[in-house]
Amino acid sequence: MDEKDNENAPFEAGPDWEQRYMDQSTRWEREGLNPAFTHWQGMGCFEGLGQVIIPGCGRSPEPLAFAHLGAKVSALDFAPSAIAFQCEVFAKAEINAVIEAADVLQWKPEAPVDALYDQTCLCALTPAVWPDYVRQLQNWLKPGGRAFMLFMQTGKDGGPPFHCPVETMQELFDSAYWHWPDEPFFRAEHSNEKFELGVILTRR
Ligand SMILES: C[S@@+](CC[C@H](N)C(=O)[O-])C[C@H]1O[C@@H](n2cnc3c(N)ncnc32)[C@H](O)[C@@H]1O
């Protein structure tokens, strides 16, 4: 994210994000796959994955990478540029996927699914709506389903991206509903000097 423009800026919905794509002000993007994705893939975590939801997919390469691994992909974003980008990528690859312009706080799958992959969608939302968002994630997953979470670490106030401290995440993703693995969590570095903590949470 372009910190210069957005640090301490009030959270804006769709048009703000769309504008960032139009301005190419997308410092959160990486050249390739997120190192956590590659790590989890190497550990066999994606084997036999059925359906995976990718909220706030942006223009990231992970939806197609999941599809290449045989997953049925549902990729969501409310920024038209992000959706157009993913549609084009999937059309070129001749792979079917559900790519939907939708608000992640409202959208519902037809039925609960096996997995979701949140690559900096949570940190893009204002913390006031985090409990609503987490309820959504809970409802999207089958019991035993896995949430592949990338918790943004900025160590700063304000956002987006909003800092996602582990203690806050542990309260939000309550252990009554989610199984937490033991630390340490995978540290996914980024050339923008921020990093994410990769955690696989299992829906109870
Ligand atoms: C930090 S970007 C991450 C994009 C992508 N996951 C990546 O790693 O490149 C956050 C994305 O979430 C989308 N987004 C933010 N709030 C949303 C909402 N309420 N519903 C749907 N998409 C949302 C934005 O449009 C943006 O594409």
Side-chain angles (χ1 to χ4, degrees):
M1 242 157 271
D2 189 329
E3 291 172 49
K4 194 160 47 65
D5 293 336
N6 298 306
E7 195 97 22
N8 302 321
F11 178 82
E12 294 277 341
D16 182 50
W17 288 99
E18 178 58 15
Q19 196 60 48
R20 291 178 199 196
Y21 286 111
M22 290 173 75
D23 296 345
Q24 298 296 334
S25 175
T26 55
R27 282 192 60 210
W28 63 84
E29 292 182 342
R30 287 182 166 84
E31 283 294 320
L33 293 168
N34 189 300
F37 182 101
T38 311
H39 172 72
W40 287 329
Q41 184 184 349
M43 303 271 293
C45 299
F46 299 149
E47 276 164 27
L49 211 56
Q51 196 173 347
V52 58
I53 299 172
I54 306 170
C57 59
R59 304 188 299 195
S60 63
E62 285 78 9
L64 186 65
F66 272 118
H68 279 141
L69 292 173
K72 282 179 69 184
V73 168
S74 297
L76 317 172
D77 205 293
F78 63 11
S81 294
I83 292 303
F85 177 92
Q86 296 292 354
C87 285
E88 195 180 328
V89 161
F90 273 83
K92 250 189 212 154
E94 298 181 358
I95 297 179
N96 283 329
V98 175
I99 299 170
E100 233 172 284
D103 181 348
V104 297
L105 296 167
Q106 303 294 333
W107 184 85
K108 287 187 178 73
E110 278 173 15
V113 305
D114 308 291
L116 64 89
Y117 180 79
D118 181 318
Q119 182 168 288
T120 65
C121 184
L122 173 70
C123 72
L125 302 171
T126 185
V129 301
W130 284 357
D132 298 332
Y133 180 60
V134 172
R135 251 189 309 276
Q136 282 281 85
L137 303 188
Q138 233 163 265
N139 292 334
W140 291 351
L141 287 179
K142 293 175 183 166
R146 287 170 301 160
F148 295 90
M149 300 299 302
L150 286 151
F151 294 129
M152 172 63 72
Q153 305 299 299
T154 69
K156 291 184 187 165
D157 290 337
F162 291 96
H163 183 49
C164 301
V166 171
E167 310 72 58
T168 309
M169 296 301 105
Q170 282 170 336
E171 282 167 26
L172 201 57
F173 291 84
D174 189 332
S175 60
Y177 299 101
W178 300 93
H179 168 77
W180 277 77
D182 293 334
E183 296 194 43
F185 304 133
F186 185 86
R187 185 177 160 124
E189 301 289 350
H190 195 294
S191 58
N192 67 13
E193 289 162 17
K194 297 189 180 73
F195 67 97
E196 297 129 31
L197 289 177
V199 184
I200 306 175
L201 299 176
T202 308
R203 173 81 167 87
R204 291 189 191 278

